[in-house]
C-alpha cells in the first residue's frame, strides 16, 4: 500500500492564532478585517478584506452608510457597534 502526502495551499488562511505581544490594531491592519475575540493564544477568524475608514467629526453610522452604499445595521454588525468619534477607524466592505 502506498500513501501519498500532499499539502493544500491557499492564498489566505481563514483562521489566525494570536501570538504574544501582538496588538489588536496590528492584526486588524495586517488582515484588513475586524477581529472580535482577541487575546494571546486565541484563534481569530479572518473575514473578507475590507476598507479602513477614518471617521470625521459629527459622522454617524447612518451618514457613513449613505456615503458607501452599505446598510447602517451591517456597518454596526461588522464593527461590533463601537461608538464613533473623530479619527475612529471603521471597517467598510470593499466595493466589487
Amino acid at each position: 500500500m502506498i500513501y501519498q502526502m500532499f499539502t493544500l495551499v491557499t492564498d489566505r488562511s481563514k483562521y489566525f492564532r494570536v501570538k504574544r505581544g501582538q496588538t489588536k490594531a496590528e492584526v486588524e491592519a495586517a488582515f484588513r478585517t475586524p477581529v472580535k475575540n482577541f487575546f494571546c493564544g486565541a484563534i481569530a477568524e479572518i473575514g473578507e478584506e475590507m476598507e479602513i475608514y477614518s471617521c470625521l467629526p459629527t459622522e454617524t453610522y447612518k451618514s457613513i452608510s449613505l456615503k458607501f452604499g452599505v446598510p447602517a445595521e451591517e456597518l454596526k454588525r461588522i464593527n461590533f457597534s463601537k461608538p464613533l468619534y473623530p479619527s475612529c477607524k471603521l471597517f467598510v466592505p470593499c466595493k466589487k
Side-chain angles (χ1 to χ4, degrees):
M1 190 176 279
I2 299 173
Y3 292 99
Q4 294 182 351
M5 296 191 64
F6 65 93
T7 303
L8 177 63
V9 178
T10 60
D11 290 339
R12 190 168 129 180
S13 178
K14 187 176 178 181
Y15 300 98
F16 173 78
R17 181 179 297 274
V18 179
K19 294 170 188 68
R20 185 182 311 228
Q22 290 180 318
T23 65
K24 184 175 181 177
E26 289 173 345
V27 173
E28 287 181 338
F31 290 107
R32 298 182 65 86
T33 188
V35 179
K36 186 172 185 176
N37 296 327
F38 191 86
F39 54 89
C40 185
I43 306 253
E45 186 173 352
I46 305 299
E48 65 182 69
E49 189 172 315
M50 299 187 183
E51 293 180 36
I52 299 175
Y53 176 73
S54 185
C55 293
L56 301 173
T58 71
E59 281 192 315
T60 63
Y61 279 110
K62 178 105 174 139
S63 64
I64 296 169
S65 71
L66 293 174
K67 188 182 288 188
F68 287 97
V70 178
E73 290 303 316
E74 183 178 352
L75 275 179
K76 282 184 179 180
R77 181 188 57 78
I78 291 170
N79 292 287
F80 311 117
S81 297
K82 72 178 174 182
L84 301 183
Y85 52 89
S87 76
C88 171
K89 304 292 187 217
L90 280 186
F91 289 97
V92 179
C94 295
K95 293 182 181 178
K96 294 179 181 179

